[in-house]
């Protein structure tokens, strides 16, 4: 699976649908279901082809009830942690397809690279390969961070897909050569956390405590973008979608309004920016989830 060079940036765009109520106004169950159908139809009409899912909560079932018909989407599924046992990992992957209402998925991802690095890593990978061989998933891979050493794991297991975080503030995957190395191994890279967990949209007063000391740095980044008349969503999508080694850019979205904002930003002309100058000096600090305030910031930005 080699990254392609699509004519439209939306061909690279993938979605992770957010179901938490803090990203949307409270609504009755029927209204939420209709809103989700509208979101998915909006994405389908725009040409988005990939949806990334998680096995936690009720999100898979909600998606399974809301797909457009016929559904144009391919779906990535994540495993539960290996600590729950090999049998549970396999059974839950099958269950994910049932909840999604799909006969097969596009990609099954080990949710934690550390599971593959442990003593049962090979046994876990063999379970994924068996599911692929049976036709339940077209591709298999794993989620990783820069610290996990994704290139070494890719050489060991030869995955089809590696998903890892990357955004305007955390450019390590690109700057350290990891993306190029994975592409050289014929691995399709899916970038996640492209909005830096909402930090691109937050004011200094709203930052979580562990990032409060970095408020001036984040403020300078936002000021540079404002001076260039580029909003943060447009900038980070331009950066991530413009990386030639990346096959998919996974953007979180909670509503059709957010979907339209993301589509508009993705289609905007690519700005002429010094991307490296916008990177965060200590990007590892961004890996900690900033919580509800940041998720609201994304919604407000849309």
């Amino acid at each position: 699976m080699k990254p392609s060079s699509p004519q439209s940036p939306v061909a690279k765009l993938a979605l992770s649908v957010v179901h938490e109520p803090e990203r949307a106004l409270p609504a009755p169950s029927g209204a939420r279901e209709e809103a989700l159908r509208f979101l998915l139809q909006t994405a389908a009409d725009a040409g988005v082809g990939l949806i990334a899912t998680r096995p936690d909560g009720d999100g898979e079932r909600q998606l399974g009830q809301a797909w457009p018909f016929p559904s144009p989407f391919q779906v990535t599924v994540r495993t539960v942690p290996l600590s729950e046992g090999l049998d549970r990992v396999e059974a839950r992957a099958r269950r994910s397809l049932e909840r999604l209402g799909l006969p097969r998925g596009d990609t099954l991802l080990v949710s934690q690279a550390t599971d593959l690095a442990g003593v049962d890593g090979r046994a876990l990978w063999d379970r994924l390969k068996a599911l692929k061989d049976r036709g339940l998933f077209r591709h298999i891979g794993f989620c990783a961070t820069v610290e996990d050493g994704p290139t070494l794991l890719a050489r060991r297991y030869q995955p089809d897909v590696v998903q890892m975080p990357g955004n305007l503030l955390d450019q390590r995957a690109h700057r350290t050569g990891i993306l190029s190395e994975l592409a050289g191994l014929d691995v399709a890279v899916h970038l996640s956390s492209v909005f830096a967990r909402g930090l691109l949209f937050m004011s200094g007063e709203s930052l979580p405590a562990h990032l409060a000391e970095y408020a001036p740095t984040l403020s300078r980044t936002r000021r540079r973008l404002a001076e260039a008349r580029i909003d943060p969503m447009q900038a980070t999508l331009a950066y991530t979608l413009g990386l030639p080694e990346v096959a998919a850019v996974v953007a979180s979205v909670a509503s059709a309004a957010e979907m339209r904002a993301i589509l508009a930003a993705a289609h905007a002309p690519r700005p002429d920016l010094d991307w490296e100058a916008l990177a965060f000096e200590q990007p590892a600090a961004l890996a900690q989830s900033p919580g509800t305030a940041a998720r609201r910031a994304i919604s407000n930005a849309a």
Side-chain angles (χ1 to χ4, degrees), residues 72-265:
F73 298 117
Q74 302 293 331
V75 176
T76 67
V77 170
R78 289 197 193 188
T79 65
V80 294
L82 181 56
S83 59
E84 297 189 20
L86 285 168
D87 290 342
R88 169 66 175 160
V89 169
E90 180 177 343
R92 189 60 181 81
R94 293 174 180 271
R95 179 62 176 156
S96 288
L97 293 180
E98 293 175 6
R99 287 165 61 84
L100 289 163
L102 300 173
R104 64 189 59 84
D106 184 75
T107 305
L108 177 60
L109 297 170
V110 175
S111 58
Q112 302 174 115
T114 50
D115 285 346
L116 290 173
V119 294
D120 291 324
R122 178 57 63 180
L124 172 61
W125 191 250
D126 287 344
R127 293 290 185 109
L128 268 66
K129 288 176 64 177
L131 291 172
K132 178 182 176 181
D133 291 343
R134 293 178 189 134
L136 293 179
F137 295 92
R138 295 181 180 89
H139 311 108
I140 56 176
F142 58 84
C143 300
T145 64
V146 171
E147 292 82 1
D148 290 325
T151 304
L152 291 176
L153 285 173
R155 290 195 179 104
R156 183 185 307 173
Y157 291 106
Q158 300 180 323
D160 302 307
V161 176
V162 169
Q163 180 172 304
M164 61 186 306
N167 52 68
L168 192 65
L169 299 179
D170 185 356
Q171 302 179 16
R172 290 176 296 167
H174 177 215
R175 299 296 173 192
T176 59
I178 290 175
L179 297 183
S180 295
E181 292 170 351
L182 290 173
L185 295 171
D186 202 25
V187 174
V189 178
H190 294 184
L191 278 192
S192 60
S193 299
V194 296
F195 297 138
R197 300 176 181 268
L199 294 174
L200 282 166
F201 312 105
M202 297 177 68
S203 63
E205 297 78 15
S206 302
L207 287 174
H210 74 280
L211 289 176
E213 63 183 290
Y214 303 115
T217 300
L218 290 168
S219 178
R220 283 194 297 272
T221 297
R222 286 193 295 272
R223 185 170 64 250
R224 286 174 178 168
L225 293 177
E227 290 170 352
R229 297 185 177 180
I230 304 296
D231 69 75
M233 184 178 289
Q234 179 186 347
T236 196
L237 286 175
Y239 170 70
T240 52
L241 291 169
L243 294 170
E245 306 92 344
V246 171
V249 171
V250 184
S252 66
V253 59
S255 67
E258 288 186 21
M259 183 73 255
R260 289 192 293 270
I262 289 170
L263 291 170

Side-chain angles (χ1 to χ4, degrees), residues 5 13 15 46 73 135 158 252 299:
S5 300
L13 192 62
L15 301 180
F73 298 117
Q158 300 180 323
S252 66
S299 184

